[in-house]
Amino acid sequence: MRAYRIAARYNLAELAKNTLAALLLAVLLPLWILAAPQIFAPASLTFRLRATGRTLTASTDQVGMIHGCLGIVMLLMAFLTFSAARQSGPFDRRLTAAGYPRTPLLLAKATSLLSAAALVALYTTVWTLAVWSPRHLGFLWLGLFTASLVYGTLGLVLALFLPGELEGMVVIFVTSNLDLLPQSPLVNPDPHGFLGPLLPMYGSTQTCLAAGLATTTPLRAVAASLTWTGTLTLIALLAFWIRTRERHLVTLDASLALSRGRASSG
């Protein structure tokens, strides 16, 4: 338990040190929410909510605000976790090579991700109240929370597989745009095809749109987001486990070779 508490404090401190992400969240997100009514034309938009199959009519500024908030949240969470994982990766491998248990490290990373996602979603949800009143405030938070989880775990996965920060930033930016843009009612008011529900942000987008604009919220959309989160988490944990195991074995072999060399020389 003590190992978990120490690792959790360290991981939370790593996330908190990213002042650029915190500044962007504190400034960019409220600026977008407050500016959305001035950016979009005061018109009604009719679109089909794919998760329920029902047709909804809403103001374009409300739809645009939801779309923009999702884009900001997912990008910031992916950048935040990617940067933190890149910085802590070598230290984590040294810890495990020295005998620090891996399970507390993994639990600490999960705790820091859940905490950051919950706070980012709460901050965004509270700011939306400055402009309008969503129909289901709790489900709006849930949609933003799952979006933060999906792209937070994606940032962890990319940090384990990509060689540098520039590659990670490019992949995150391109992936987020290819993922979110086709799901926006402003771009695609009548979605078709089988690929849409397979995209990572499908569940979060449908949940947020339904929470803000519909009378009911589809729980299957939440399950889709949790499925993506679970899959990406499993990939990240498996890659972390294999990498630290290989490092541990290499360190052990080197120690044995060194001890044998000392014995033969003696």
Side-chain angles (χ1 to χ4, degrees), residues 25-69:
L25 180 66
V27 176
L28 187 60
L29 187 66
L31 186 63
W32 170 258
I33 292 175
L34 296 174
Q38 311 303 323
I39 294 175
F40 295 96
S44 296
L45 174 68
T46 300
F47 64 96
R48 183 169 63 90
L49 188 67
R50 187 161 186 169
T52 60
R54 296 182 177 180
T55 300
L56 302 178
T57 300
S59 175
T60 53
D61 64 312
Q62 294 175 350
V63 176
M65 184 176 62
I66 292 175
H67 175 80
C69 287

Side-chain angles (χ1 to χ4, degrees), residues 136-165:
H136 309 279
L137 195 63
F139 275 95
L140 179 62
W141 173 87
L142 183 60
L144 294 168
F145 175 66
T146 56
S148 301
L149 286 181
V150 170
Y151 269 76
T153 52
L154 178 63
L156 294 176
V157 170
L158 294 178
L160 291 169
F161 290 102
L162 293 181
E165 290 195 4

